[in-house]
Amino acid sequence: MTELRVLVDTACAVPAYEQIREQVTVLVTTGALREGDRLPAARALAADLGLAVGTVQRAYRELELAGTVTSRRRTGTVVTAGVTVEEDVRWAAEGFVERALSSGLSPDQALDVVRAALVSVGRSRT
């Protein structure tokens, strides 16, 4: 089993399960975790991070729904395939859209926010 190094900031506005999901996705995308690598048992990771088991289980479920891992009895949770950058960005975009719409923004307002962010980040990179 490859050692899984994730950090969770409980003071952060991003839910702990989402922080775990995002970090594991990055580890898979960058090749630090490869197909067949086992993740620690949810109970063990929860204990290491000082979180509830259900929090880690939710992160693992989200990763499984994205096709990043598969969970089976006896073999545990295993990385199934590399996540492409496009898939990771699409996942982030879906999370943004969900948050924007549930916060009351219209689709046009959400697009305006994205356009402004693209301009802002584009300027900082040049």
Side-chain angles (χ1 to χ4, degrees):
M1 174 172 28
T2 300
E3 185 177 348
L4 179 65
R5 292 183 181 237
V6 295
L7 299 173
V8 173
D9 180 0
T10 55
C12 180
V14 177
Y17 78 88
E18 180 61 21
Q19 292 179 52
I20 295 168
R21 186 211 59 79
E22 183 177 318
Q23 290 177 56
V24 170
T25 300
V26 168
L27 291 170
V28 172
T29 302
T30 61
L33 285 175
R34 296 189 178 129
E35 188 168 353
D37 285 346
R38 286 182 48 197
L39 300 184
R43 287 187 191 282
L45 185 57
D48 288 347
L49 297 174
L51 299 172
V53 175
T55 301
V56 175
Q57 288 173 333
R58 177 153 183 201
Y60 282 11
R61 273 194 311 274
E62 298 282 340
L63 288 162
E64 192 164 17
L65 288 171
T68 306
V69 301
T70 186
S71 297
R72 295 191 186 131
R73 290 182 183 223
R74 296 189 183 160
T75 60
T77 303
V78 180
V79 175
T80 54
V83 176
T84 66
V85 173
E86 183 180 330
E87 289 170 319
D88 188 39
V89 170
R90 182 176 34 250
W91 183 269
E94 288 174 2
F96 166 78
V97 168
E98 181 65 38
R99 184 167 181 184
L101 296 178
S102 68
S103 297
L105 291 180
S106 71
D108 286 337
Q109 289 171 315
L111 285 172
D112 288 343
V113 169
V114 170
R115 286 185 189 98
L118 285 168
V119 169
S120 174
V121 171
R123 282 187 195 142
S124 68
R125 289 184 170 225
T126 57

